[in-house]
Amino acid sequence: MKLLLKKINEKDGSGSVALIAQDAEDLWHLYQLITVGDEVTMKTVRRVQKESAVSVDSEKKKITLTIRVVSVDFNPGAEVMRVNGRNSRENQYVKMDAFHNFSLEVNRKVTITKEYWDDLALDRIEEACNPDRTADTAVVIMQEGLAHVCLITPNMTLCKNTIEVNIPGKRKGRDTGHSKALNKFYEQVYKAVQNLDFKVVKCIVLASPGFVRDNCYKYMMEQAIRQDNRALIENKGKFILVHSSSGHRHALKEVLSDPSVTVQMNDTKAAKEVKALNELFAMLKDDPDRATYGPAHVERVAELDAIDSLLILDDLFRSCDVKTRKKYIELMDSVKKTNGQVFIFSAQHVSGAALKNFTGIAATLRFPVHDEEFEEFEDEDDFDFSDEEEGGPLKPLAAS
């Protein structure tokens, strides 16, 4: 995501943000940001009428239009989002309150104006504009003279660097510069790896045909020791060396399917969310007084400072009611203040779909809270937590 403008009033939280989506993942972030009641401004094409003394003609005009959002639709497969609403600003071509819809696609500028920008929305913008912050896994796919440095986030794959160095072939009895060119190649890979955020990245995969990965890893460690690069030395345990059929990006799928990689990725964000969900299901089955679900029940245990882990679906933050959004954000903040963990699940993931079956919000507790604490909330639905039902434990996932 590219941030063009951010103008927000510090006193009341109102203001505008201008963004350009650069891929389908960014469109998903915009879908989460734009809610009913917001104003959206874009350049668009509108057919307008021109009246003369003898006839009425129509023509297409490119105009800048601002609408107040009535509904938002997003189709991930088609990579297009539709924003429907009524014209909310004076315009010589479009009447006030006239209906219009925008087709929001990749590489189109959009300005979003809200009466209140909450912390969750601002964090989402920062996350989308700085994908490195959420990249749990880095993969360097290489062959002699070619390397792709990729970041794997819970929702997308980003190619951060492409390194190309011409490597002369070996010839018996002649110095073709092969070794020198290889060292230059390894040096560029080394510099690219140094730029990774080791506080966020949990796993660094070096993949290649032959022994390119081994030789590159050896070069990087030798340079790190020579230069006293503590960051790289202290994180050498995060490196995994695996085989790939080539150094091209299409080999990424086979690399991520390697068993040694999937085991190492068990500590990534996506895997942690699945683990938290499995723990919830197990607790509901084996120790039901230490787990609960549903907005009313979760709010009640939050008042008791009993929440150890809060599991919440991102769709709940799409409410057009600002008070409802604030309520869930305040709930998250209260859990964090008592040193609890918060997991925000994407509705597009299998784990998010499972959480949705439990109202989209649930919690595991530090201590038991007995049934009598919830007598006023008896009208909420019951669920069967057996493994055979749809809400049963999920098998651990490496990542999405």
Side-chain angles (χ1 to χ4, degrees):
M1 188 88 77
K2 189 175 183 179
L3 178 63
L4 302 178
L5 169 74
K6 184 179 178 183
K7 192 174 182 180
I8 298 174
N9 189 313
E10 294 183 1
K11 292 183 178 180
D12 61 11
S14 64
S16 301
V17 172
L19 301 159
I20 294 179
Q22 296 179 307
D23 53 35
E25 180 73 16
D26 289 343
L27 290 177
W28 169 250
H29 285 299
L30 287 177
Y31 175 68
Q32 294 296 327
L33 286 171
I34 299 172
T35 57
V36 173
D38 293 346
E39 284 190 334
V40 172
T41 302
M42 287 184 65
K43 288 185 177 180
T44 186
V45 176
R46 179 94 176 190
R47 185 174 291 279
V48 298
Q49 291 185 341
K50 294 180 65 178
E51 297 184 6
S52 65
V54 293
S55 65
V56 177
D57 297 323
S58 65
E59 63 175 332
K60 289 184 178 180
K61 283 267 188 186
K62 285 187 177 182
I63 59 176
T64 298
L65 199 63
T66 298
I67 63 173
R68 188 166 296 279
V69 177
V70 173
S71 65
V72 186
D73 300 305
F74 178 53
N75 184 343
E79 296 189 9
V80 63
M81 188 171 79
R82 299 197 181 279
V83 182
N84 307 301
R86 292 179 179 270
N87 182 33
S88 61
R89 304 277 177 91
E90 291 287 346
N91 191 292
Q92 69 178 106
Y93 300 111
V94 183
K95 295 179 181 180
M96 286 288 290
D97 287 333
F99 270 104
H100 189 80
N101 68 79
F102 293 135
S103 293
L104 215 172
E105 301 171 329
V106 171
N107 295 324
R108 291 194 65 187
K109 177 185 174 182
V110 59
T111 301
I112 307 167
T113 302
K114 290 178 177 285
E115 293 181 0
Y116 179 74
W117 284 91
D118 55 51
D119 290 341
L120 189 69
L122 295 176
D123 286 346
R124 182 174 287 277
I125 292 173
E126 186 175 355
E127 175 187 332
C129 294
N130 298 280
D132 307 43
R133 294 180 64 233
T134 59
D136 289 319
T137 304
V139 179
V140 183
I141 306 177
M142 67 182 84
Q143 61 190 45
E144 285 195 357
L146 175 67
H148 296 283
V149 182
C150 302
L151 298 177
I152 314 297
T153 76
N155 299 305
M156 68 177 176
T157 300
L158 175 70
C159 186
K160 195 69 175 173
N161 298 94
T162 298
I163 299 167
E164 293 183 271
V165 175
N166 183 39
I167 309 292
K170 288 183 178 180
R171 290 189 181 180
K172 190 174 181 180
R174 290 182 59 186
D175 180 11
T176 61
H178 179 83
S179 298
K180 186 177 180 180
L182 270 181
N183 285 339
K184 180 182 177 182
F185 172 64
Y186 295 150
E187 178 66 20
Q188 291 190 30
V189 174
Y190 172 61
K191 288 180 178 178
V193 171
Q194 283 187 97
N195 291 328
L196 297 174
D197 187 347
F198 290 104
K199 293 180 180 178
V200 177
V201 173
K202 305 292 192 301
C203 173
I204 306 162
V205 182
L206 301 183
S208 76
F211 297 99
V212 178
R213 60 188 179 276
D214 303 273
N215 295 333
C216 185
Y217 177 74
K218 180 181 178 182
Y219 177 91
M220 289 194 295
M221 288 302 134
E222 288 175 350
Q223 291 299 312
I225 293 170
R226 185 177 294 113
Q227 299 171 13
D228 194 27
N229 187 335
R230 304 307 304 171
L232 202 61
I233 294 170
E234 291 171 3
N235 287 278
K236 65 179 183 179
K238 295 181 179 180
F239 284 84
I240 306 173
L241 278 59
V242 300
H243 171 79
S244 67
S245 58
S246 78
H248 295 280
R249 287 184 63 182
H250 64 74
L252 183 62
K253 184 177 179 181
E254 67 178 90
V255 172
L256 295 179
S257 300
D258 188 285
S260 61
V261 176
T262 57
V263 169
Q264 187 76 8
M265 288 176 66
N266 279 337
D267 194 36
T268 60
K269 180 178 181 291
K272 285 181 178 179
E273 289 176 356
V274 174
K275 182 181 178 183
L277 192 63
N278 285 339
E279 289 175 353
L280 170 72
F281 291 151
M283 198 75 76
L284 285 167
K285 182 179 180 182
D286 301 329
D287 192 1
D289 286 341
R290 287 192 56 201
T292 191
Y293 60 90
H297 282 195
V298 172
E299 286 176 34
R300 174 58 181 149
V301 294
E303 291 172 1
L304 301 173
D305 293 336
I307 296 180
D308 183 44
S309 294
L310 174 68
L311 291 68
I312 188 166
L313 197 65
D314 57 8
D315 272 0
L316 295 181
F317 298 103
R318 287 192 47 75
S319 173
C320 57
D321 182 11
V322 174
K323 290 183 178 179
T324 301
R325 282 178 59 89
K326 282 186 175 180
K327 179 182 72 173
Y328 286 124
I329 291 169
E330 288 170 358
L331 174 62
M332 288 171 50
D333 290 341
S334 70
V335 172
K336 290 177 181 178
K337 285 178 182 177
T338 57
N339 295 318
Q341 290 182 293
V342 176
F343 298 93
I344 301 177
F345 287 71
S346 170
Q348 297 297 305
H349 284 182
V350 63
S351 55
L355 182 60
K356 191 173 184 178
N357 292 334
F358 290 80
T359 74
I361 184 169
T364 55
L365 313 180
R366 295 189 176 94
F367 50 82
V369 177
H370 302 293
D371 289 342
E372 52 265 26
E373 295 283 350
F374 300 115
E375 286 182 356
E376 59 184 299
F377 306 125
E378 284 297 316
D379 57 335
E380 295 217 18
D381 295 335
D382 287 329
F383 287 83
D384 181 1
F385 307 114
S386 63
D387 291 2
E388 291 75 21
E389 295 297 322
E390 187 175 1
L394 299 174
K395 293 181 179 180
L397 300 178
S400 294

